[in-house]
Amino acid sequence: MTKRCPWPKTELDIIYHDKEWGKPLHDDKKLFEMLILEGMQAGLSWSTILTKRESMKKAFDNFDTKTIVKYDDKKVNELMQNSNLIRNRLKLSSLKLNAEAFIKVQKEFGSFDKYIWAFVDNKPIINNFKNINETPTRTEISDKISKDLKKRGFKFIGTTICYAFMQAAGLTNDHMPDCEHKFK
């Protein structure tokens, strides 16, 4: 039997845990996707996001920032009618703002990847929490990232969302020590 962290319960959770969570991510498009998904997750379960992920990918133009920056109120209203999405007007309205801010960061730093990985000195933080209850919901680094992203115009990017993003993008590896996916 495969040993893994205790949180994955559904088939989608298990696939995500085994193939993505905690693995260093350096592709700007995927980093933007994870940033958006983590913001959409605020107040909801990650399983809900995984269930709606493909629908969001399709509705959000494959997370293409150059397309999303053109979104207007008509587009947000259209998204609000899509029952396969998280229909929160503030979250949907933040898509354009986050795409604009993301593009500005890319221009300033050469890539979002260079910008975000600098917060962890370009190497993942490997944690060895003994049980899931020890895993924090925020850290000093997620506080710094959140503060800096907000200053740059990002929305739905509080410190808890930033820490979840760090886990998703592999900036921090919080797999439990006995998890077979800890260093894969």
Side-chain angles (χ1 to χ4, degrees):
M1 184 168 166
T2 301
K3 284 194 171 195
R4 64 175 53 92
C5 298
W7 63 264
K9 303 293 184 208
T10 69
E11 185 179 342
L12 283 175
D13 289 348
I14 291 168
I15 292 167
Y16 172 73
H17 169 273
D18 293 359
K19 296 188 182 293
E20 293 183 69
W21 192 69
K23 289 188 174 31
L25 187 57
H26 293 284
D27 176 80
D28 271 14
K29 188 170 190 161
K30 292 296 287 177
L31 287 165
F32 182 70
E33 176 182 349
M34 294 316 298
L35 205 58
I36 295 303
L37 292 177
E38 291 297 347
M40 289 288 167
Q41 189 263 337
L44 304 169
S45 73
W46 188 245
S47 293
T48 299
I49 298 306
L50 291 176
T51 300
K52 295 180 178 283
R53 186 178 188 180
E54 286 305 313
S55 296
M56 286 190 275
K57 190 173 190 171
K58 183 178 177 186
F60 303 159
D61 296 289
N62 201 30
F63 296 99
D64 181 66
T65 54
K66 290 179 177 77
T67 303
I68 293 172
V69 295
K70 297 175 186 166
Y71 284 11
D72 55 13
D73 288 340
K74 182 180 176 196
K75 178 66 174 185
V76 171
N77 288 333
E78 176 188 311
L79 294 171
M80 284 293 293
Q81 302 308 311
N82 187 335
S83 62
N84 295 317
L85 303 178
I86 307 301
R87 293 187 291 179
N88 176 305
R89 186 169 295 280
L90 290 174
K91 290 178 181 182
L92 293 172
S93 296
S94 74
L95 289 168
K96 178 180 179 163
L97 297 170
N98 287 342
E100 289 170 346
F102 194 90
I103 290 169
K104 285 179 187 171
V105 167
Q106 286 177 312
K107 286 179 181 170
E108 182 178 344
F109 293 88
S111 69
F112 189 82
D113 175 66
K114 285 181 186 173
Y115 161 78
I116 201 69
W117 278 91
F119 284 96
V120 294
D121 296 325
N122 299 304
K123 59 184 181 298
I125 297 166
I126 310 294
N127 290 315
N128 284 300
F129 302 116
K130 301 293 182 250
N131 68 62
I132 199 159
N133 295 331
E134 292 178 15
T135 308
T137 57
R138 53 146 299 279
T139 62
E140 286 183 27
I141 295 173
S142 70
D143 291 350
K144 287 178 188 175
I145 293 171
S146 174
K147 185 177 179 181
D148 198 67
L149 288 173
K150 286 177 183 177
K151 183 180 79 174
R152 294 173 183 283
F154 286 84
K155 302 292 181 201
F156 282 93
I157 201 70
T159 188
T160 301
I161 290 170
C162 284
Y163 193 74
F165 169 77
M166 290 173 67
Q167 292 172 311
L171 281 85
T172 186
N173 184 326
D174 284 345
H175 285 280
M176 296 292 106
D178 62 345
C179 178
E180 291 179 17
H181 301 278
K182 180 78 177 173
F183 297 106
K184 290 184 180 181

